[in-house]
Structure formats: C-alpha cells, structure tokens
Amino acid sequence: MGTGSQLTPSAPGYLSEESKRRFTLIAGILGAAFFVAQFLLPMLIMFMVMMPMMMGGQVSIADIDQAALWRDDLWFVERTTKVNWSDPGKSAWPLALRHVHLADLSDAGPALPLEATGTDWTPALLPVGDRLWVIRADGASYYEGGALTRLSGGKRPPRASGPFQYGGRPAVISLGAHPTLSTLQAEGTQAEWSAREFPLGLPSEGGSLRSLQAVEGSGGLYLFAEVCTEEPERCSLSYREPEHEKWLPLTEDACSCVNWTAVALGSRPAVVFSERDNGPAKHVTVARVAPTEPRPEQIELDGKGLAWMRWRALSSEGRLLLLSEGMPGSLRLAEVAGGRVVRSVKKAGALPFGPNMMLLMTIPQLLPIVLSLVLAFVLTIQMRRHRVQDYVFEGERRTFASLWQRALAQLVDIVPFIAGFAVPTVSMSRMFSDPESLIERGPFFPFLFFGLFLAAMVWGVLVLAVFSYFEGRFGKTPGKWLLGIRVLGTDLQPCGFGRAFLRNLLTFVDGFLSFLVGALLVALTENWQRLGDLAARTIVVVDEKPA
C-alpha cells in the first residue's frame, strides 16, 4: 500500500507549492542539461575515437602495373601511406615486397621491406630463373632463397622501357635518339647494364612512339609499340617479329586511353588491351600473334563497379590471368580460358578505419541511452522528495511506479526490437566495410537495404502487437514483470488491447531524444503519465504484494 492514512482523491501531484516550484526548476535544468549533453557527448567521443584512428590509420596500395608471377605466387610491391598529421613533411610511404597465393590471393608469406630511394616509388619486378629481380631507376636487387640482396651500381638507363627477360637476363630498351638494348650483368654484389645499338625501325609517318614493350618468345624477341598521332589523336598497336624488320598492325584505330599489356601465351606472344573513355573496362581483347595475321578474341569481364578501373595481364604456363585493383589494397584475379573468365578470386582491401568501423560508430549512439537512465535515476530521487507517490480512484490507492523502474523496464522491453534490427545493421556494416562489393551490387543494393529494414520493421510491429496484448490483458511486458510494475487504466482496471496498442505506438514519440521527452512528461504530469499514457488514459503502478 502507499503512504498516507486517508483515502482521498489525488492531490495536484506535489507535496506543496514550494515543492512544485523547486521540482519544476530542477527538472527543467536537468532536462536542458541532458538535452545538450545528448548532442555534444556523442560528437565528442566520436571525435576522440575517430581522430586517433585517422592519425594512426594507413592505406596500403598494390602496384599492379609492375606485378609478376613467380613460383605459383603473385608478387607485387605494396606502398603504405602513413601520414604524420603533426608534421606532414615527415610522413612516410614505406615499400614492401609481398606475395599471395594464386588460388585465393591469401598471404603466402611475410612482407619484405624495401628501401624507398629518391622518387622511385614503383620498382619493377621481373622473374628470371631462380631469382625475382627488383629493378629501380637507381639500382637493382634480387630475391633468392628467402633473402633480398641489393647490388651496387646497376643504375637503369635513361628513358628505358619496362624490364623484360632476354637471354636469361633482365633487359630494357632505351628509347632515345639512338635506341639501345641493355642487359643487366651481375657478378657478386656488383651490377652493370651492358648496352648495344638496337634500331627500332618504326615508320616515321605512323606518328610518335608512346610506349614500347618486349616479350621473349620461342623465336627470339618480339617488340610491341603504341604509336599515336597528334591531330586527330589516335593510336595504333603494332608488333615486330625477330626475323622481320617490318612492323605489323595489331589494331590500327585505338583511342589514346587504350590500356594494353604484352604477354607470352604458349609459344607465341599476344597483346591484351581494352579501351575506355571513363569508368571501368567492360571487356578486353586478346590479339594473339599468328604466322598469318593476329587473331583477336574479345573477353567479357565479370564484376561491376571499380574492379576493372586498373588491370594488368599476366601469363603462367600458357594461362592468361587478369589482375585488377579496385579500392585501395583490394585485388581481383581472373583466369581466362576459351574466350571467357572461368575463375575469379578477390582479396578485400584494408581501409584506414578498419572493417568494423561502422560497428564502432554505433557505440557513441548508445551514450544518450545511458544519459537517459542517469536522468531517470536523478529525477526519481527528486520525485520522492517533492511529488505525491500515490494514485487514488474511488477509494482505492495504488503507488506510482518510479521513473527509474519504468526506465529499466523499457530498457528490457526494447531488446526484442533491437534484435530485429541487428541482422540488417550487421549486414549493412559488413557491406560498408567493403565499399567495392557495395558498389558492385549496383542498382540492387537499395532493394536489399530497404528489404532488410522492411523485414525488421515487420518484426517490430509483431513484437509491438504481442506486447500490447499482454499489457492490455495483464498489464505486463517482460520488462514490467521483472521490475514488478504494471499498466492499468485510470480506473485501475486492465486497459485492453486497443488502448495498450495506442500507448505503445506513441512510445516512438515519447522515445524521442532517447526517451528524454517521455521521462520529462512522467516527471511533470500530475499522474506520472507520458504521452502514450495520456492518450490511452493509463497509469503505471507498482504491483500489489499479496497479503
């Protein structure tokens, strides 16, 4: 039973006018303070969490343009950006030699740090026999037997093409006024490029040479050239066989945006190229060098979005492999056979905020709930000092449930609702942790997004209906049962399903600002009612203990 010795109608709700004045002032100040805190504290915590992550975050990018296949692994140079926010001039961009398995692009071993020298951030990789060569503009080194050996000398010739294997040694072609073929001679820890004249014989009327690649085939060295004109700017791809001085066309009308790679496929080489004005490549063309004329073969690429913005063709034992990079650090490897992609594997990139950033960002959002619980606890203490604790109707007295009890009961009851939204929330966080996959979903992503949350909303309505049934008939929900409180009509009778459903439906309004609105209404209204109680004509009281 409640306090007091007489059963009389409810007082205005306060012990005295002074209590009303003091409590109203206290509740107003607390409400304003917690209102401001609910906005500022989450922002402050997010700032304190995200800024260190940004300052300590790093992005790793794979240099696929110089990647190579060696001993059934994919090797590439990885460049990591580590920004020093306090002194950007001291920021670091360390390089590392990495290799991954071709089967699933999983790590095949630890990374080997590479010394960053000068402005050469893109050392080229070239497998030759038992060595994997790392060729820079200012020198060379090789990886063999699990160790990286740096050689003295070996500064790459100026205006050199990409390195290629020739006669069992690394080689480049210098594209100066008098082209030369240079091979790398290594003895002990010394290296030196040995050069000889190597006329290219390009026709002067074809335009200017933009890039040159070379591939060693069964018959010797095959040269491939991209030649472009100025007006109008068009390009052509041509090749030259070792025993002929004449250049033969592969494609005579290509845009200047052509992306191409020469590879050795079996006994004869081929050129893999694509043209794109903007956006990712949708297909590539393979032009195999044949005794009669090139045989072009178009291959449709799988995947969408950013996956094929940058790609490189590689070959291994007659297989054609296409390597691409989408988001920073992400890799995709596609194997081509019979004119189509027969296998594709992907390695997700490492974002600077980590894969669980979306989940971490939800933590500050829980702070307003904690603040509301604190507010409920403080207001409960003040209400015991200044408010009338009992409700009286037709001679029957019941004690109001405290705001603290109601807050804890509401916290328990909200768990089933949160559980319904957990699946779409976790699913969305995983999607956003891999933006490339998110983009690849294309127009279907919004349907998936709204479909998951529509299912969660249906679940929420179902829980709401079940809770309303038990609350309308028995005055109980799981939370109220645990806290020993119940909902009754203002006539102290069960309120029924309809009024309970209306009451619970308006919880979404009372729950605004993490139940700050509902808490202040309970604290200030005469019969301790939130908006849902006022609309449904209900009150929340403490269970009577059996005599």
Side-chain angles (χ1 to χ4, degrees):
M1 297 293 291
T3 60
S5 59
Q6 260 188 323
L7 299 178
T8 59
S10 295
Y14 295 90
L15 297 179
S16 65
E17 287 296 326
E18 179 64 18
S19 292
K20 181 177 180 180
R21 185 187 68 81
R22 289 184 178 182
F23 181 78
T24 304
L25 179 62
I26 292 172
I29 293 174
L30 288 174
F34 277 78
F35 174 79
V36 174
Q38 283 189 352
F39 284 99
L40 293 183
L41 287 182
M43 294 176 60
L44 179 62
I45 290 180
M46 290 182 66
F47 179 81
M48 293 174 63
V49 171
M50 291 183 65
M51 284 304 295
M53 294 182 70
M54 289 179 61
M55 291 185 177
Q58 57 187 38
V59 178
S60 297
I61 301 175
D63 182 13
I64 66 171
D65 294 331
Q66 306 295 341
L69 297 180
W70 186 54
R71 293 182 173 177
D72 295 326
D73 286 341
L74 172 65
W75 294 74
F76 56 90
V77 173
E78 184 178 70
R79 182 171 64 254
T80 301
T81 303
K82 295 181 178 180
V83 180
N84 186 336
W85 295 94
S86 59
D87 188 358
K90 295 182 179 180
S91 298
W93 292 269
L95 304 180
L97 180 63
R98 298 189 66 90
H99 60 125
V100 295
H101 295 297
L102 288 180
D104 55 4
L105 296 182
S106 61
D107 288 336
L112 283 81
L114 296 176
E115 181 184 356
T117 58
T119 58
D120 188 5
W121 301 105
T122 56
L125 303 183
L126 179 68
V128 180
D130 293 332
R131 292 178 176 178
L132 177 67
W133 287 87
V134 182
I135 301 175
R136 304 171 177 271
D138 61 346
S141 56
Y142 63 85
Y143 176 79
E144 183 181 23
L148 190 66
T149 302
R150 182 173 178 84
L151 304 177
S152 301
K155 184 177 180 180
R156 193 164 55 187
R159 298 192 60 188
S161 67
F164 54 90
Q165 179 177 331
Y166 180 63
R169 299 178 184 276
V172 296
I173 295 176
S174 297
L175 303 178
H178 302 283
T180 59
L181 173 64
S182 301
T183 56
L184 185 62
Q185 313 291 329
E187 186 172 346
T189 59
Q190 297 294 319
E192 184 180 0
W193 291 93
S194 177
R196 64 179 176 87
E197 285 195 28
F198 191 80
L200 297 178
L202 287 169
S204 58
E205 66 275 8
S208 59
L209 178 65
R210 174 165 293 184
S211 61
L212 180 75
Q213 297 182 28
V215 174
E216 190 176 41
S218 58
L221 191 64
Y222 288 78
L223 301 180
F224 297 86
E226 178 186 1
V227 177
C228 300
T229 60
E230 294 182 1
E231 294 293 342
E233 188 180 28
R234 299 300 297 175
C235 300
S236 63
L237 294 176
S238 304
Y239 76 99
R240 174 183 154 189
E241 295 189 60
E243 65 271 16
H244 300 292
E245 295 184 359
K246 184 179 179 180
W247 288 82
L248 302 176
L250 283 168
T251 174
E252 295 183 342
D253 189 15
C255 75
S256 58
C257 60
V258 66
N259 181 14
W260 65 283
T261 307
V263 294
L265 289 179
S267 60
R268 301 186 71 86
V271 167
V272 185
F273 65 93
S274 69
E275 296 182 62
R276 60 176 179 84
D277 292 318
N278 51 60
K282 300 298 183 182
H283 62 268
V284 297
T285 301
V286 181
R288 299 174 185 265
V289 174
T292 53
E293 59 182 20
R295 294 177 294 176
E297 179 181 46
Q298 191 173 91
I299 300 168
E300 297 295 326
L301 297 177
D302 64 336
K304 300 176 182 178
L306 300 175
W308 300 102
M309 289 291 289
R310 294 178 58 245
W311 62 269
R312 172 177 170 81
L314 302 165
S315 63
S316 173
E317 299 178 351
R319 296 181 301 164
L320 176 60
L321 303 174
L322 299 177
L323 176 66
S324 72
E325 182 186 34
M327 303 298 288
S330 69
L331 295 175
R332 172 169 294 184
L333 188 68
E335 182 177 350
V336 175
R340 62 187 182 91
V341 175
V342 296
R343 185 179 70 91
S344 180
V345 292
K346 179 183 174 182
K347 176 180 180 292
L351 296 178
F353 301 123
N356 297 319
M357 183 59 187
M358 292 297 295
L359 293 177
L360 289 175
M361 289 180 64
T362 62
I363 295 178
Q365 308 309 317
L366 299 177
L367 183 60
I369 297 178
V370 176
L371 290 174
S372 293
L373 288 174
V374 174
L375 177 63
F377 181 76
V378 175
L379 286 176
T380 295
I381 296 175
Q382 296 300 319
M383 290 172 75
R384 287 177 177 173
R385 294 177 179 176
H386 302 287
R387 298 295 310 270
V388 173
Q389 305 294 308
D390 295 341
Y391 176 81
V392 179
F393 180 80
E394 294 183 353
E396 185 177 355
R397 185 187 299 270
R398 300 296 295 268
T399 302
F400 288 119
S402 71
L403 186 56
W404 175 245
Q405 289 174 305
R406 295 179 65 168
L408 292 179
Q410 189 67 57
L411 189 63
V412 174
D413 289 339
I414 206 172
V415 171
F417 289 93
I418 295 177
F421 283 88
V423 173
T425 300
V426 172
S427 178
M428 290 300 107
S429 67
R430 290 178 178 175
M431 290 181 187
F432 281 103
S433 69
D434 187 1
E436 185 175 334
S437 295
L438 191 65
I439 295 174
E440 289 177 3
R441 294 176 183 270
F444 297 102
F445 165 68
F447 295 102
L448 176 62
F449 181 85
F450 288 112
L452 288 172
F453 277 93
L454 179 61
M457 291 179 66
V458 171
W459 166 259
V461 172
L462 179 63
V463 172
L464 187 71
V466 172
F467 278 13
S468 298
Y469 170 77
F470 285 101
E471 194 172 83
R473 184 169 182 179
F474 307 107
K476 300 279 191 176
T477 58
K480 293 179 177 65
W481 177 76
L482 287 174
L483 271 296
I485 60 178
R486 71 168 63 233
V487 173
L488 293 174
T490 52
D491 56 359
L492 298 182
Q493 299 298 315
C495 62
F497 174 79
R499 288 162 67 186
F501 187 81
L502 174 62
R503 178 183 186 276
N504 289 324
L505 192 62
L506 288 175
T507 301
F508 295 103
V509 179
D510 288 307
F512 190 61
L513 297 176
S514 299
F515 288 95
L516 178 62
V517 172
L520 290 178
L521 283 174
V522 170
L524 295 172
T525 53
E526 179 178 341
N527 292 321
W528 300 27
Q529 294 170 297
R530 61 177 176 85
L531 183 62
D533 291 317
L534 293 170
R537 305 187 310 281
T538 57
I539 59 173
V540 184
V541 297
V542 177
D543 264 346
E544 285 187 325
K545 295 181 180 180

